[in-house]
Amino acid sequence: MAQTLKWMSEKGLSGLEFATGVPATIGGMVYMNFECWGNDVSSMVDSVYIYEKKNGFRWIKRQDYQVAYRWTSFHDFQCIILAVKLNTQPSTTNKVKEKMQQYLSERKEKQPVLKSTFGSVFKNPLPQKAGELVDQLGLKGTTIGDAMISNHHANFFENLDKATFEDTFKLIKLIQNKVQTMYNIKLECEVQMIQ
Ligand SMILES: Cc1cc2nc3c(=O)[nH]c(=O)nc-3n(C[C@H](O)[C@H](O)[C@H](O)COP(=O)(O)OP(=O)(O)OC[C@H]3O[C@@H](n4cnc5c(N)ncnc54)[C@H](O)[C@@H]3O)c2cc1C
């Protein structure tokens, strides 16, 4: 992502600046239907080149796969995304860099981007926001082992030093139980777990 944004700014290509500061790959972003602040990567996609065990290599046009909140049809394909064609808008290096800086500042203001995190823990139970529910329960700063609910944004966990999967999992369960009890809402993980 960082390399792509650098390349796009050098070429004066605009459209992906909203993802500045996110440690992701283009394939992962397309697979997860990356979205923030009303921008989503899917609306830029022209086509995706995949390898699928069953059907081999092929290009898929954007209109030939489905997207939803943090989901695409690729979840059902069992495939690897190898390349993506994106539609971009012509701009200038300075304008692209300026937009990147604006998005990075916004992200730094709202999220603990300079800490060790794995991004948002829970999907937003729309129209509610997971972080706001956790915050309302006064859980910011709650720590299990070395995993802490961020004081900066309650839908992020910070690794204070050597947080383990168990620390993180217990913190997830603690939040899910409290949110279920207090609001009767089942918070679903955004992050994918391999157990
Ligand atoms: C600090 C931070 C901020 C974040 N902010 C946002 C945000 O604002 N909005 C948002 O939507 N997400 C956000 N995320 C989550 C994450 O960046 C996105 O989900 C991203 O799209 C995942 O990309 P990745 O390359 O890191 O994939 P990974 O996390 O490595 O993988 C995610 C899933 O995609 C699959 N996958 C990865 N690459 C491919 C590929 N090439 N082909 C097929 N499957 C693949 C993996 O198997 C896995 O199931 C954030 C994460 C962090 C750490």
Side-chain angles (χ1 to χ4, degrees), residues 58-73:
R58 63 184 168 124
W59 280 100
I60 300 183
K61 295 291 283 183
R62 167 63 195 87
Q63 60 266 28
D64 295 329
Y65 72 91
Q66 307 298 311
V67 300
Y69 180 61
R70 305 293 190 262
W71 182 88
T72 57
S73 308

Side-chain angles (χ1 to χ4, degrees), residues 30-174:
V30 169
Y31 180 89
M32 290 299 289
N33 185 22
F34 182 93
E35 175 277 333
C36 66
W37 304 315
N39 306 289
D40 62 279
V41 80
S42 301
S43 58
M44 288 183 70
V45 172
D46 171 85
S47 42
V48 183
Y49 189 53
I50 65 164
Y51 174 75
E52 208 181 2
K53 211 170 180 187
K54 202 167 129 207
N55 298 310
F57 295 92
R58 63 184 168 124
W59 280 100
I60 300 183
K61 295 291 283 183
R62 167 63 195 87
Q63 60 266 28
D64 295 329
Y65 72 91
Q66 307 298 311
V67 300
Y69 180 61
R70 305 293 190 262
W71 182 88
T72 57
S73 308
F74 298 116
H75 289 229
D76 297 335
F77 286 5
Q78 290 194 318
C79 67
I80 299 172
I81 295 169
L82 297 168
V84 179
K85 276 189 202 165
L86 296 175
N87 293 310
T88 59
Q89 293 113 42
S91 184
T92 63
T93 299
N94 282 348
K95 280 186 186 161
V96 173
K97 281 188 175 166
E98 203 178 299
K99 261 189 163 179
M100 285 170 65
Q101 198 49 54
Q102 281 166 3
Y103 277 111
L104 188 60
S105 301
E106 192 169 351
R107 209 169 260 282
K108 277 184 183 165
E109 190 193 313
K110 294 181 177 165
Q111 299 175 358
V113 280
L114 301 177
K115 306 282 180 170
S116 300
T117 79
F118 48 80
S120 299
V121 182
F122 300 105
K123 292 181 186 172
N124 287 322
L126 297 169
Q128 316 252 39
K129 291 194 169 166
E132 283 173 10
L133 295 176
V134 179
D135 196 6
Q136 281 162 26
L137 290 171
L139 292 173
K140 272 183 170 174
T142 304
T143 305
I144 294 184
D146 268 342
M148 182 182 83
I149 302 172
S150 174
N151 283 306
H152 198 138
H153 190 308
N155 199 18
F156 284 75
F157 292 172
E158 292 178 21
N159 181 359
L160 299 178
D161 187 14
K162 294 189 171 68
T164 61
F165 172 80
E166 281 71 28
D167 298 338
T168 308
F169 190 64
K170 281 180 193 160
L171 211 45
I172 286 172
K173 286 286 158 208
L174 183 143

Side-chain angles (χ1 to χ4, degrees), residues 20-33:
T20 307
V22 178
T25 63
I26 300 286
M29 292 176 82
V30 169
Y31 180 89
M32 290 299 289
N33 185 22

